[in-house]
Amino acid sequence: MIPYNFEYTRAKTLSDAQAMLAKNPDAKLLAGGQTLIPTMKMRLANPSALIDISKLAELSFIRTEGDTVVIGAATTHGAVAASADVRRMIAALAHMAAHIGDPAVRAVGTMGGSLANNDPAADYPAAVLALNATIKTTEREIAADDFFTGMFSTALDDGEIITQITFRKPMRAGYQKFANPASRYPMAGVFVAQTSDGIRVAVTGAGPGVFRVEAMEAALAKSFTPEAVAEIAVSADNLNSDIHASAEYRAHLVTVMAKRAVEHAVANDGH
């Protein structure tokens, strides 16, 4: 067995973590570790150091500020799912968090870690994009439309750390996914949100990155009903095709999940 060779340090504060990253740019931040640790086990990553930020209270919180919900980057999926504030303000977001992975994953996986990794099959990017959330980092604030730049790629600069994500309370929102039975990752997941800025429909799992469906947004703006999107087809071009599902099947799933997401939004009675 090839031995692991890295230095592990638990940061005491966010500033402490920033200083460690500046000193060792090859280091990786460890929050929930749901992607990083398996990647290291498969020898696809070999960082010289791990900086553990999972216990930082300044990154683990949920609070409401007027019509917004602010969630710390190190907040676990389980905490989001269980939060009365999240369920009251954005029930669809709590529903999403409750169906990520399994209980063990939800107990340690974090929202900030998921967004920073930007796995094309992750759930949270769809919510962030559909709800037009704002990602705050140690350096700046980044709009959802500008954050996701490609497969496993984001607008984050080296050494930049996500600190919190701000969501405005939508008028209506819903999320539905067709989950891989083994991993629970969405083979196609659709988050639909009606906000004061209009309708946004975001898709995850189906392509190499999260994306919006403008045709569905326009249709829902005229009639926020499941029937409005039921006949809108998404092109299979550039969608994922693998042993689990073809691109054509995923395209079909997007329409089906969009219809169910609208039904979910209506059932949530505005949240």
Side-chain angles (χ1 to χ4, degrees):
M1 178 177 178
I2 303 174
Y4 294 99
N5 184 22
F6 62 88
E7 179 181 330
Y8 170 86
T9 307
R10 174 168 288 177
K12 297 179 180 179
T13 65
L14 179 58
S15 297
D16 191 23
Q18 288 181 274
M20 292 179 189
L21 271 180
K23 184 178 180 181
N24 185 359
D26 187 50
K28 294 291 184 181
L29 294 176
L30 178 65
Q34 296 305 287
T35 297
L36 179 59
I37 298 303
T39 302
M40 291 176 64
K41 286 183 176 180
M42 290 186 288
R43 307 296 175 176
L44 297 176
N46 186 28
S48 61
L50 295 181
I51 302 170
D52 191 340
I53 60 173
S54 64
K55 302 301 181 182
L56 296 184
E58 58 193 304
L59 295 182
S60 183
F61 61 85
I62 297 173
R63 63 173 182 261
T64 58
E65 298 175 355
D67 65 346
T68 66
V69 178
V70 185
I71 301 178
T75 305
T76 65
H77 313 322
V80 174
S83 169
D85 285 334
V86 177
R87 292 199 303 269
R88 174 174 55 87
M89 298 280 279
I90 317 175
L93 183 61
H95 168 82
M96 167 181 277
H99 291 83
I100 295 175
D102 55 29
V105 169
R106 294 192 290 273
V108 293
T110 66
M111 180 178 288
S114 176
L115 295 178
N117 187 53
N118 192 22
D119 190 308
D123 292 87
Y124 280 134
V128 168
L129 190 58
L131 291 166
N132 198 19
T134 300
I135 297 92
K136 185 175 181 180
T137 75
T138 48
E139 305 296 330
R140 54 184 167 150
E141 292 186 349
I142 308 173
D145 285 329
D146 300 324
F147 184 79
F148 305 104
T149 59
M151 183 182 292
F152 294 106
S153 177
T154 70
L156 293 172
D157 292 329
D158 291 341
E160 190 172 11
I161 303 173
I162 298 175
T163 58
Q164 65 184 44
I165 304 93
T166 300
F167 300 88
R168 284 188 297 169
K169 180 181 178 180
M171 298 165 62
R172 291 187 277 200
Y175 177 68
Q176 291 291 297
K177 70 178 178 180
F178 190 90
N180 181 302
S183 69
R184 310 309 300 166
Y185 274 118
M187 291 164 60
V190 180
F191 200 108
V192 175
Q194 181 180 27
T195 72
S196 57
D197 295 328
I199 308 289
R200 293 168 72 99
V201 177
V203 179
T204 189
V210 64
F211 62 91
R212 291 170 60 186
V213 184
E214 294 182 359
M216 290 184 178
E217 294 173 350
L220 290 171
K222 296 177 181 178
S223 174
F224 199 91
T225 63
E227 292 73 25
V229 298
E231 301 301 324
I232 297 178
V234 174
S235 173
D237 294 345
N238 299 319
L239 294 188
N240 297 334
S241 184
D242 52 34
I243 62 172
H244 304 295
S246 66
E248 291 75 17
Y249 186 63
R250 281 187 164 91
H252 169 73
L253 285 177
V254 169
T255 299
V256 175
M257 293 303 111
K259 181 180 177 180
R260 293 181 184 177
V262 177
E263 293 172 344
H264 185 215
V266 173
N268 282 338
D269 191 28
H271 303 147

